[in-house]
Amino acid sequence: MNPLLLANWILFLGVTIYGLYLFVSVVRTRIAYIKMGKKFEFDGKIKRRMQKIGIYVFGQKKLLKDKKSGAIHVMMFYGFILVQFGAIDFIWKGLAPDSHLPLGPFYPGFTFFQEIVTLTIIVAVIWAFYRRYIENLVRLKRSFKAGLVLIFIGTLMVTVLVGNGMGIIWHGHEGAWTEPVATLIASAFAWLPPAAAATVFFIMWWIHLLILLTFLVYVPQSKHAHLLAAPVNVFLSREDPPGKLKPINFDIDEEADEEDVSFGVGKIEELNQLQMIDLYACVECGRCTNVCPASGSGKMLSPMDLLIKMRDHLTEKGAAVTGQSPWVPAYAFSGTEGNTLAQMARSKGTDEAAATMEAVNNKNLIGDVITEEELWACTTCRNCEDACPVMNEHVDKIIDLRRYLVLTEGKMDPDGQRAMMNIERQGNPWGLSKKEREDWRSLDEEAHIPTVKELKKSGEEFEYLFWVSSMGSYDNRSQKIAVAFAKLMNKAGIKFAILGNKEQNSGDTARRMGNEFLFQELAEKNMKEFEKNDVKKIITIDPHAYNIFKNEYPDFGLEAEVYHHTEMLSEWLKEGRLKPEGVVNEKITYHDSCYLGRYNEVYQPPREVLEMIPGVEVVEMKRNRSNGMCCGAGGGMMWMEEKSGNRVNVARTEQALEVEPTMISSGCPFCLTMLSDGTKAKEVEEEVSTMDIAEILAKSIFESKEEKTA
């Protein structure tokens, strides 16, 4: 063998083995950090999970919501997979000159296809560079690290094309249509002697190999770790209903030290391992922050930054606990904090090392890493999760951190604390008497709204339990929605009843604000009433109650069917039980409630109701359905004052006003309150009204009847 070729082989094996060793070391280190978390249950549904890989990884479903960025990513994703065969062929040519992959008659087609793929990737790199650095897309970071991968990928593509062109000159081959770019390069440099072309070929070959291995080592210790973690994250992602919260077990070991008892997440290792995979799967694409109502209205919270800060803290603490260096090669990153901590953890000999280890272990996740202000800015709308291309969950982590604040440290916003105390004492956030819960029925004497107790006395039965909710029972504006819906049920011949003064708060507010203990108390009381009255079907005007009954109360034994009022109104209209005849001349834009839409995929029924009302013109906001912006009331924010930035409800109202409606509609009393306040803030309440779907339908049915009677 040629001595130079032998040396090339030896160097190739040396750097390749070293690169692979570093790659495996980094991956093992990250796995060790993730294993610090609590174990999670895997349901073993392999087939369903492989389908998700097909839809979200290979189908790029969520990425394509942003068509431009999605197209760039599809080009890079599939291009980079396919071009690896070309990379193998290129490396082969450097190890065995004047030969190639043994593909026989298919090789010419293979080379042509590889050149097309390579050019496609170069176009994607240039487009991505333009989007990040020239178009200056707000959600994208413009740091050197963010652009480094584009440099890597672009250089890999160029070196292959130039190297193949030099190979044509070196070996004296004729140019061919199957390698159009390489042939063009060979023609441009045809004046080079073969020896010089061989030299340039090997320069390109080594640049390509070294960048390929550098990229391999760089990926797992950068934001591009998502190339490894994202498919795993999608495969392992929860099969629970979206946004479902897990109950806390409050059974405490009596022998446990009081200081060791805590609830929620106060330390990074108290997250479960699936939540930790989320942290390394983060793409840092900014899609979550871009749609976040808190971030968009000037609050401190950025869902992306939240995950990044937790990831960096996990890496730092993981290094201190496991003694495994997070950054390799170690000699190049010896001065970094993570590697220094890992070195100290391995030595454990000096007082300085012991003090540093103690400081890291005592670093508070809330306060030192994540601020309380960030946690209380979240409306739990899940727009961030819907936008995330790798199926990361942000809200569950925020709720876990809130739980720690509320249950372990006893910290909560004073307004929120007041609402919690009122719910605990009177069953509603205002603290109004629980004995007045059914008084709203007197607003319309014509409506027949019986309580369960009254029906039992008269020997009658009911099909649906109408859960009025605290908003429908006490809020003056929402009471009108409850009455309108009750009258519609009367008209449709529906047998229903309410719990009246026996109805408690559903517990959604308490749970989303972190007071899991109060929630479970409320759930227990509500379950007793449901079981006592043999409740089989529940219907409600409150999407928050709808979601928690449908998706979370089953953990506490609920087996009833749960419906939102817009679902049933649509059904009753189709069945002919309700016939809207009165013309409602309104241009209506519908606002999707987060807990009805993103949490439960109920988008069409409310729109179907509006479309069946004579005279109604439905116009959609730019942000609608799964990308609809939150009204700002979720996550307990209804009961807390916004102390920074702009008001979320005003921002959403402005979006509604852009389509010039005469009416803004919703299927949620919380949303309607926020949007009504928004129209007042914009001083358009006289021109633009706000009504619930049930009220608009009732207007068409009952007001037209009254006019005909008159």
Side-chain angles (χ1 to χ4, degrees):
M1 182 182 284
N2 184 306
L4 289 176
L5 192 57
L6 179 61
N8 192 59
W9 261 98
I10 293 170
L11 287 172
F12 164 75
L13 291 172
V15 297
T16 302
I17 291 170
Y18 182 55
L20 291 171
Y21 164 74
L22 292 177
F23 170 76
V24 171
S25 296
V26 177
V27 172
R28 287 181 61 190
T29 297
R30 296 303 184 271
I31 292 172
Y33 297 167
I34 290 169
K35 283 185 174 180
M36 290 166 52
K38 296 178 179 178
K39 291 185 178 180
F40 68 97
E41 294 180 9
F42 180 67
D43 57 18
K45 296 178 181 177
I46 304 296
K47 184 177 179 180
R48 167 63 186 146
R49 294 180 180 281
M50 290 307 295
Q51 288 175 344
K52 289 200 291 187
I53 290 288
I55 294 169
Y56 296 106
V57 178
F58 293 103
Q60 308 272 292
K61 181 179 179 180
K62 287 197 170 188
L63 275 158
L64 290 169
K65 286 187 174 185
D66 181 335
K67 290 182 172 55
K68 290 182 180 179
S69 294
I72 293 171
H73 196 275
V74 167
M75 291 162 72
M76 284 196 181
F77 177 79
Y78 280 103
F80 209 71
I81 290 173
L82 296 170
V83 86
Q84 297 313 308
F85 298 102
I88 294 169
D89 183 53
F90 187 53
I91 291 170
W92 181 302
K93 290 174 181 176
L95 296 173
D98 204 18
S99 68
H100 53 70
L101 287 176
L103 299 178
F106 299 105
Y107 187 73
F110 169 78
T111 57
F112 181 74
F113 179 72
Q114 284 299 315
E115 286 218 350
I116 297 299
V117 171
T118 302
L119 288 173
T120 301
I121 295 173
I122 290 174
V123 170
V125 167
I126 294 170
W127 193 2
F129 183 88
Y130 173 82
R131 291 271 284 173
R132 188 179 293 271
Y133 295 102
I134 299 175
E135 189 177 333
N136 282 335
L137 207 61
V138 176
R139 63 179 174 81
L140 296 177
K141 293 182 177 181
R142 276 165 283 283
S143 63
F144 172 72
K145 285 184 178 180
L148 187 58
V149 168
L150 294 179
I151 295 171
F152 280 165
I153 296 173
T155 305
L156 285 171
M157 299 307 105
V158 171
T159 51
V160 167
L161 293 173
V162 174
N164 284 335
M166 292 299 108
I168 291 173
I169 299 171
W170 175 22
H171 300 297
H173 295 164
E174 291 292 327
W177 67 269
T178 57
E179 294 182 281
V181 180
T183 298
L184 189 64
I185 292 171
S187 299
F189 292 92
W191 48 270
L192 279 176
T199 302
V200 176
F201 171 85
F202 277 106
I203 290 172
M204 293 298 105
W205 191 85
W206 273 104
I207 291 173
H208 186 89
L209 179 65
L210 291 174
I211 288 180
L212 192 63
L213 293 171
T214 301
F215 189 48
L216 184 69
V217 176
Y218 176 73
V219 161
Q221 47 191 344
S222 70
K223 79 184 187 75
H224 288 83
H226 75 268
L227 295 172
L228 303 172
V232 176
N233 202 46
V234 171
F235 180 78
L236 295 175
S237 59
R238 294 197 299 162
E239 287 288 293
D240 293 330
K244 179 182 177 182
L245 299 178
K246 296 288 187 183
I248 289 178
N249 183 358
F250 288 103
D251 293 334
I252 302 171
D253 186 351
E254 294 180 1
E255 297 180 2
D257 192 329
E258 190 174 330
E259 293 182 359
D260 295 334
V261 176
S262 70
F263 302 105
V265 171
K267 297 178 180 178
I268 194 71
E269 61 268 29
E270 290 173 346
L271 292 173
N272 67 47
Q273 292 169 359
L274 182 56
Q275 289 175 311
M276 288 182 172
I277 294 173
D278 272 357
L279 307 183
Y280 288 117
C282 179
V283 188
E284 296 186 32
C285 63
R287 285 174 172 82
C288 55
T289 296
N290 196 47
V291 297
C292 174
S295 179
S297 59
K299 311 296 190 297
M300 184 179 283
L301 175 64
S302 161
M304 179 184 74
D305 289 341
L306 183 90
L307 295 192
I308 291 171
K309 287 191 285 188
M310 294 175 78
R311 179 197 68 198
D312 292 346
H313 177 55
L314 172 60
T315 301
E316 178 187 275
K317 194 161 188 178
V321 171
T322 66
Q324 298 185 34
S325 300
W327 315 116
V328 299
Y331 61 81
F333 297 97
S334 58
T336 59
E337 185 174 9
N339 283 16
T340 302
L341 288 169
Q343 178 61 39
M344 287 182 174
R346 290 194 295 269
S347 61
K348 298 180 182 178
T350 65
D351 293 338
E352 180 186 358
T356 303
M357 291 296 102
E358 186 177 357
V360 171
N361 288 325
N362 292 334
K363 194 171 185 178
N364 295 316
L365 183 55
I366 305 172
D368 295 328
V369 180
I370 308 296
T371 65
E372 292 182 32
E373 186 178 347
E374 288 173 275
L375 299 180
W376 292 118
C378 179
T379 65
T380 68
C381 70
R382 289 194 61 257
N383 207 345
C384 53
E385 297 179 4
D386 179 76
C388 180
V390 297
M391 301 186 75
N392 277 346
E393 294 188 57
H394 310 71
V395 175
D396 67 328
K397 298 171 186 62
I398 290 173
I399 300 299
D400 281 340
L401 292 166
R402 284 184 179 182
R403 285 171 165 178
Y404 180 82
L405 274 177
V406 174
L407 299 172
T408 304
E409 295 194 351
K411 292 181 180 179
M412 183 183 279
D413 178 273
D415 292 333
Q417 183 63 49
R418 192 177 304 112
M420 290 300 99
M421 290 176 63
N422 289 334
I423 290 173
E424 189 173 1
R425 293 171 180 172
Q426 296 292 347
N428 66 85
W430 298 275
L432 299 172
S433 173
K434 62 178 71 175
K435 295 179 181 179
E436 298 173 4
R437 197 172 188 100
E438 64 188 52
D439 290 359
W440 63 276
R441 296 190 296 171
S442 63
L443 290 175
D444 193 323
E445 298 296 338
E446 293 182 8
H448 178 55
I449 310 171
T451 64
V452 171
K453 186 177 180 181
E454 289 167 351
L455 285 185
K456 279 186 176 180
K457 281 185 178 180
S458 61
E460 296 180 68
E461 295 183 347
F462 63 92
E463 182 180 3
Y464 293 92
L465 175 72
F466 175 23
W467 183 271
V468 186
S469 80
S470 292
M471 287 291 286
S473 299
Y474 292 101
D475 178 65
N476 291 336
R477 178 66 187 84
S478 302
Q479 287 174 341
K480 296 177 183 178
I481 303 171
V483 169
F485 181 58
K487 290 178 70 176
L488 288 169
M489 284 196 285
N490 290 159
K491 182 72 175 176
I494 303 301
K495 293 283 187 180
F496 74 94
I498 64 172
L499 287 175
N501 294 338
K502 293 290 185 179
E503 183 181 288
Q504 296 284 331
N505 188 278
S506 69
D508 171 79
T509 294
R511 190 168 222 198
R512 262 66 197 177
M513 291 182 75
N515 195 337
E516 178 71 8
F517 188 80
L518 175 57
F519 160 70
Q520 291 193 19
E521 279 191 333
L522 293 166
E524 186 179 346
K525 291 177 182 177
N526 287 326
M527 282 304 304
K528 285 180 180 177
E529 285 297 321
F530 295 157
E531 290 167 1
K532 173 184 170 184
N533 296 295
D534 194 27
V535 173
K536 301 297 183 185
K537 297 179 181 179
I538 299 172
I539 192 166
T540 180
I541 59 173
D542 177 9
H544 298 257
Y546 168 74
N547 175 69
I548 207 163
F549 288 147
K550 182 180 178 182
N551 297 326
E552 297 179 6
Y553 265 61
D555 287 339
F556 300 89
L558 183 64
E559 296 179 354
E561 298 173 26
V562 183
Y563 302 97
H564 185 254
H565 73 298
T566 60
E567 291 180 296
M568 298 316 299
L569 289 175
S570 174
E571 198 66 33
W572 297 332
L573 282 165
K574 291 174 184 176
E575 292 172 357
R577 287 171 175 259
L578 296 172
K579 296 178 181 179
E581 298 176 354
V583 176
V584 180
N585 290 312
E586 299 283 359
K587 183 180 180 182
I588 301 176
T589 188
Y590 175 73
H591 163 80
D592 289 282
S593 160
C594 304
Y595 277 78
L596 189 61
R598 274 186 293 273
Y599 276 78
N600 289 284
E601 299 290 322
V602 179
Y603 296 113
Q604 201 55 32
R607 290 173 170 82
E608 289 173 347
V609 174
L610 291 175
E611 288 165 0
M612 284 187 263
I613 299 174
V616 168
E617 178 190 356
V618 180
V619 290
E620 294 285 4
M621 287 181 247
K622 184 177 180 181
R623 288 185 61 178
N624 61 75
R625 295 180 182 261
S626 63
N627 193 38
M629 182 179 171
C630 179
C631 72
M637 297 304 294
M638 178 81 174
W639 317 109
M640 295 188 287
E641 194 63 36
E642 294 181 56
K643 296 172 183 175
S644 62
N646 303 315
R647 297 187 69 85
V648 175
N649 66 316
V650 174
R652 182 54 170 168
T653 303
E654 288 172 347
Q655 293 175 4
L657 296 177
E658 286 175 2
V659 297
E660 301 180 351
T662 59
M663 180 183 289
I664 303 172
S665 178
S666 183
C668 171
F670 289 91
C671 294
L672 203 67
T673 297
M674 300 300 275
L675 293 169
S676 297
D677 289 347
T679 58
K680 292 172 186 174
K682 300 300 293 183
E683 299 181 349
V684 294
E685 69 270 26
E686 298 298 326
E687 297 82 27
V688 182
S689 58
T690 52
M691 293 184 77
D692 185 86
I693 295 290
E695 293 179 295
I696 301 169
L697 181 58
K699 185 177 182 181
S700 175
I701 291 176
F702 299 116
E703 289 188 17
S704 66
K705 182 180 178 182
E706 290 168 7
E707 288 171 8
K708 287 179 181 178
T709 304

